[in-house]
Amino acid sequence: PQDLLDLYDPSKIDLPASFGDTLQDKPRVYQRMRNQIWGQLSTSEVRESIANYMALCSMQDRMLGDLLDALEKTGQAGNTLALFVGDHGDHQFAHGLLEMGIHAFKESYHVPAIMRWPKGIVNPGRMVDDLVSLADFAPTFIELCGRQSTERPTGRSLVRFIKNEPVEDWRDAIFHQTNGNEVYFIQRTVRTKTWRYTYNPFDFDELYDLESDPNEMKNLAFPDFTLQPPVYAETREESRIWPHLPDDLDAVRREMMAKLWQFALEENDEHLFSSYPPVCLATYGPGQ
């Protein structure tokens, strides 16, 4: 709608902080997506694209308002749990990328999760920053309906958050996955509040310090010297894991991959468990 598009002046839109990322330390397919496709656009066209996206978000806000107004008019608002959530994010030119894809940056996976339930949410208006998954909503709805799941759910119920009760045993990591976007790539990601590790069997893995690098610009799993020819050791004791990382980062890599493999085991993720050497490329895990 033109009235919503008029709300956003492309010339006043700031480009994302990571827009200038060269992606040189990221998987090559990321570079191809940017340079071959989105790199064709001028910065003015990028700002125009973002303005159109923001106008579409405003259109969704308007339509959501229509829905909530209808609940009010029919007297159902008080006892209806309304959830606003997305199935995936959109890069909006973070790292020079648009839409989603194989890349596991936060823009792909960080989605809104806003709930309204006047008769059910205790102390509404709270912002909760615990790590929540889309898989948590099914067990939440089941518990609110007074039922029990017939099988072990991947997610966990959010009812304690809704009731504003203490939650002391919540998860310290969250997991993402893709089995390919039309063309085939396997990718698995584990994220905590301070680190993100992505296992890319098709290219270099990724490790980001989310405290010092919230825009995920520096891939710590890709030090400059990893492209040097391998040094073959005379004995196994003299060999080292490739790519070699400093001891402190290698400890983080091992801990994050342990979380990833444990989750994969619990979820029967058969894609990852293979001892066939050409595809068993994890630095730590089965087969290593």
Side-chain angles (χ1 to χ4, degrees):
Q2 188 64 44
D3 64 318
L4 298 181
L5 188 59
D6 290 341
L7 296 174
Y8 303 100
D9 182 352
S11 66
K12 296 181 179 180
I13 289 177
D14 294 327
L15 297 178
S18 62
F19 179 72
D21 189 353
T22 65
L23 301 175
Q24 292 302 304
D25 59 350
K26 314 298 194 293
R28 301 304 187 274
V29 67
Y30 296 10
Q31 299 175 33
R32 182 172 184 177
M33 288 178 181
R34 174 177 183 158
N35 297 334
Q36 181 175 321
I37 304 174
W38 311 123
Q40 300 180 59
L41 300 178
S42 65
T43 53
S44 62
E45 289 174 315
V46 167
R47 289 187 171 90
E48 184 180 355
S49 174
I50 295 174
N52 276 270
Y53 181 82
M54 294 170 71
L56 287 170
C57 289
S58 292
M59 184 178 71
Q60 281 209 329
D61 288 345
R62 175 180 288 177
M63 296 168 71
L64 177 62
D66 291 342
L67 176 64
L68 298 179
D69 288 345
L71 289 174
E72 293 284 357
K73 292 177 181 178
T74 57
Q76 301 177 83
N79 201 33
T80 297
L81 172 57
L83 169 67
F84 182 84
V85 67
D87 60 338
H88 59 76
D90 191 305
H91 279 78
Q92 284 303 295
F93 294 98
H95 304 276
L97 302 165
L98 189 64
E99 301 180 350
M100 57 173 185
I102 193 67
H103 21 71
F105 297 116
K106 61 184 177 183
E107 287 82 10
S108 281
Y109 289 104
H110 189 188
V111 298
I114 306 171
M115 289 185 281
R116 190 190 76 161
W117 184 16
K119 291 185 179 181
I121 296 179
V122 178
N123 188 21
R126 288 177 286 121
M127 293 286 289
V128 179
D129 66 354
D130 287 275
L131 297 168
V132 170
S133 165
L134 292 175
D136 295 333
F137 293 114
T140 300
F141 299 148
I142 291 173
E143 181 176 350
L144 290 176
C145 291
R147 300 301 180 104
Q148 292 185 343
S149 177
T150 57
E151 57 186 44
R152 186 188 71 82
T154 297
R156 297 179 61 184
S157 171
L158 303 174
V159 169
R160 284 185 294 171
F161 290 108
I162 292 173
K163 294 181 177 180
N164 200 23
E165 297 176 350
V167 183
E168 298 176 352
D169 58 343
W170 196 245
R171 63 170 67 94
D172 65 354
I174 199 166
F175 304 87
H176 313 305
Q177 77 175 66
T178 179
N179 291 329
N181 289 33
E182 284 71 46
V183 290
Y184 201 69
F185 296 99
I186 287 286
Q187 184 182 74
R188 298 292 185 269
T189 296
V190 53
R191 185 189 302 270
T192 67
K193 290 187 176 182
T194 53
W195 296 96
R196 192 258 281 186
Y197 192 92
T198 295
Y199 171 41
N200 293 315
F202 56 87
D203 209 316
F204 286 102
D205 288 356
E206 298 167 77
L207 175 63
Y208 301 97
D209 183 339
L210 301 180
E211 290 187 315
S212 64
D213 181 22
N215 293 314
E216 301 174 300
M217 295 287 284
K218 176 63 175 177
N219 179 10
L220 298 174
F222 186 88
D224 293 338
F225 53 82
T226 56
L227 291 180
Q228 299 300 316
V231 177
Y232 289 92
E234 293 293 332
T235 66
R236 181 179 179 87
E237 288 72 23
E238 295 173 351
S239 66
R240 64 183 185 180
I241 292 175
W242 186 93
H244 176 71
L245 298 183
D247 290 346
D248 58 336
L249 289 179
D250 189 62
V252 173
R253 172 169 61 180
R254 188 180 184 106
E255 178 184 359
M256 296 292 280
M257 295 203 81
K259 292 178 183 291
L260 193 64
W261 285 107
Q262 180 63 37
F263 183 78
L265 181 65
E266 293 171 353
E267 296 300 319
N268 298 315
D269 188 354
E270 71 280 358
H271 286 90
L272 293 192
F273 291 91
S274 173
S275 59
Y276 184 45
V279 297
C280 188
L281 298 174
T283 306
Y284 292 110
Q288 303 302 327

